[in-house]
Structure formats: structure tokens, C-alpha cells
């Protein structure tokens, strides 16, 4: 009898902890959405955005300052990201943007690199300097090709008298 009471108590604690985590995660997402309700919108056009999604973070110096509002294609079939940036961040008009990955296989996010232009972006402006997503497969192909080239060069050196 005592064992079943312990099992029920442990199960209740685990369930309560799980419920608290779920509630906290939804509350944090809602707080992040409300935090970016005030601000301004920018667009950025990329050749490829592999893995970037609506809601992905927009960061400056590693700090989230906004989020991706929408993704679409333009008339030239390039990916256009609509970003929402916090009001208190006045980005210079020559700011660049790049798609980065959290870790090797993590989620994609946008990283801003401010320029030196004294004029800040205004609502609806477009970021001109963009860097596309880097695919892990492409990176691995490049590493393998360099390794093969080095191996061939080493074999040629050893074969030469």
C-alpha cells in the first residue's frame, strides 16, 4: 500500500512538472510575440532561405530584437522575408543580414550586422546586403573536395623523384 502511494505521488509530481513546462513555454512564446508588437517592419531578399521559418528570431549581437513575420517569393522567384524589429533598435540603413544556424544542425535565425550610415531604417525599408543560408551538405561537399585535392597532391609529391 505504501509503495503505491509513493508511485502516485511521484507520478503527480512528474505530471505537474510537465504541465508547468508546457504552460511556461506557451507563456514565453506569447511574451515574445507581445514584446515585438511595437516596432517596424523590414524586408530582406535572399536566393535561398533553407530552414528559415515564420517566427524565427532576428538577432543583433546574439540578442533577439525581432522575428520573421512572413516568407514569400518575389516575381523573380527569390525568397523575401518580412521582419519585425523592436522600436528601440534604430538600425543604420546600410545594415547587412545573414542567415545563421544555431549549432551544426540547429534552427535557422537572422543575424544583423549594423553598418555606419547615420540614417536609420524606416518602416517598410528593404535590407540591401543579404547573405543566403549555408547548407550543411554543401559545406561537407566542399570539405570532401578539399580533402581529395590534398590527398592527390600528397600522392603526386611522393611519386615524384
Amino acid at each position: 500500500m505504501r509503495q503505491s502511494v509513493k508511485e502516485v505521488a511521484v507520478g503527480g509530481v512528474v505530471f505537474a512538472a510537465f504541465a508547468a513546462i508546457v504552460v511556461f513555454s506557451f507563456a514565453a512564446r506569447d511574451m515574445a510575440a507581445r514584446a515585438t508588437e511595437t516596432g517596424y517592419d523590414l524586408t530582406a531578399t535572399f536566393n535561398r532561405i533553407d530552414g528559415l521559418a515564420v517566427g524565427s528570431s532576428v538577432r543583433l549581437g546574439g540578442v533577439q530584437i525581432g522575428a520573421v513575420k512572413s516568407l514569400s517569393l518575389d516575381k523573380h522567384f527569390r525568397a523575401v522575408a518580412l521582419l519585425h524589429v523592436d522600436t528601440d533598435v534604430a538600425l543604420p540603413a546600410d545594415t547587412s543580414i545573414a542567415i545563421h544556424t544555431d549549432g551544426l544542425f540547429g534552427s535557422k535565425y537572422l543575424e544583423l550586422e549594423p553598418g555606419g550610415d547615420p540614417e536609420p531604417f524606416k518602416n517598410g525599408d528593404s535590407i540591401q546586403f543579404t547573405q543566403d543560408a549555408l547548407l550543411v551538405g554543401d559545406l561537407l561537399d566542399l570539405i570532401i573536395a578539399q580533402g581529395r585535392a590534398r590527398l592527390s597532391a600528397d600522392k603526386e609529391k611522393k611519386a615524384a623523384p
Side-chain angles (χ1 to χ4, degrees), residues 50-115:
D50 302 282
L52 191 69
V54 173
S56 295
S57 66
V58 176
R59 301 178 188 176
L60 177 65
V63 176
Q64 183 172 348
I65 61 163
V68 176
K69 277 178 85 172
S70 69
L71 298 170
S72 61
L73 291 175
D74 67 8
K75 63 182 179 181
H76 301 291
F77 305 107
R78 295 184 66 208
V80 178
L82 177 63
L83 322 171
H84 190 75
V85 178
D86 296 339
T87 302
D88 57 343
V89 180
L91 294 168
D94 61 346
T95 295
S96 64
I97 190 166
I99 300 173
H100 287 252
T101 306
D102 268 336
L104 188 57
F105 296 108
S107 61
K108 303 279 186 181
Y109 65 93
L110 294 172
E111 182 71 32
L112 294 165
E113 187 66 37

Side-chain angles (χ1 to χ4, degrees), residues 83-156:
L83 322 171
H84 190 75
V85 178
D86 296 339
T87 302
D88 57 343
V89 180
L91 294 168
D94 61 346
T95 295
S96 64
I97 190 166
I99 300 173
H100 287 252
T101 306
D102 268 336
L104 188 57
F105 296 108
S107 61
K108 303 279 186 181
Y109 65 93
L110 294 172
E111 182 71 32
L112 294 165
E113 187 66 37
D117 194 329
E119 281 296 312
F121 278 124
K122 297 178 194 81
N123 188 40
D125 283 350
S126 182
I127 299 173
Q128 299 301 313
F129 307 107
T130 62
Q131 182 180 342
D132 297 339
L134 179 64
L135 298 177
V136 173
D138 292 345
L139 184 60
L140 290 175
D141 289 343
L142 179 62
I143 292 169
I144 290 168
Q146 287 180 351
R148 286 183 179 158
R150 182 173 287 166
L151 184 60
S152 294
D154 289 346
K155 284 182 181 179
E156 289 177 11

Side-chain angles (χ1 to χ4, degrees), residues 39-57:
Y40 57 99
D41 293 337
L42 300 173
T43 60
T45 304
F46 300 92
N47 291 318
R48 63 182 324 144
I49 58 168
D50 302 282
L52 191 69
V54 173
S56 295
S57 66

